[in-house]
Amino acid sequence: EVEVAESGGGLVQPGGSTTLSCTFSGFTFGTWTMSWARQVPEKEREWVAVIHGDGDVPYYSDSVKGRFTVSRDNARNTLYLQMSSLQTEDTAVYYCASGGLGLRDFERVWGQGIQVTVSS
């Protein structure tokens, strides 16, 4: 059985930083490309970052490029998203997921979602 333990997020002031993490078990984490996506109610899901198993990062969305950094620790089966210079527009539920862009939802392992609220 695959389990995902998430941490991070919460309320952050504009201009601030936070780091999200997802730790996977029961899953061959190190062999998978992994992604972060975010969802705002009544808007389409946005894929924000993709990282290959070897740590290569082929994709950041334009909206987060230069402010967010995706990384992974394969020894700890953990995926990270460092978020800095946060803006109110970054408020969303953030999801970690297995696979890169184009994989169908049912083919992925998903985290439960981490709320990030950017507000003063």
Side-chain angles (χ1 to χ4, degrees):
E1 180 182 357
V2 178
E3 294 185 351
V4 185
E6 301 170 314
S7 66
L11 179 63
V12 185
Q13 290 196 337
S17 301
T18 192
T19 297
L20 310 182
S21 69
C22 289
T23 300
F24 293 77
S25 59
F27 174 64
T28 52
F29 177 81
T31 64
W32 276 84
T33 292
M34 301 297 294
S35 299
W36 286 97
R38 63 186 182 185
Q39 181 79 56
V40 177
E42 301 182 352
K43 289 190 175 180
E44 286 192 9
R45 182 193 303 148
E46 178 186 14
W47 292 98
V48 298
V50 175
I51 184 168
H52 289 161
D54 62 1
D56 179 50
V57 179
Y59 177 79
Y60 286 109
S61 67
D62 288 342
S63 60
V64 308
K65 199 174 296 182
R67 300 187 300 120
F68 290 12
T69 301
V70 60
S71 62
R72 63 194 296 159
D73 184 340
N74 288 342
R76 299 176 187 272
N77 287 354
T78 302
L79 178 71
Y80 301 98
L81 186 67
Q82 296 173 271
M83 308 162 66
S84 62
S85 301
L86 283 163
Q87 305 164 358
T88 55
E89 304 82 65
D90 295 316
T91 295
V93 177
Y94 286 76
Y95 295 91
C96 54
S98 63
L101 304 181
L103 207 64
R104 291 170 291 186
D105 285 0
F106 71 88
E107 296 174 307
R108 301 180 186 273
V109 174
W110 290 92
Q112 299 94 328
I114 306 171
Q115 177 68 51
V116 175
T117 302
V118 183
S119 175
S120 55

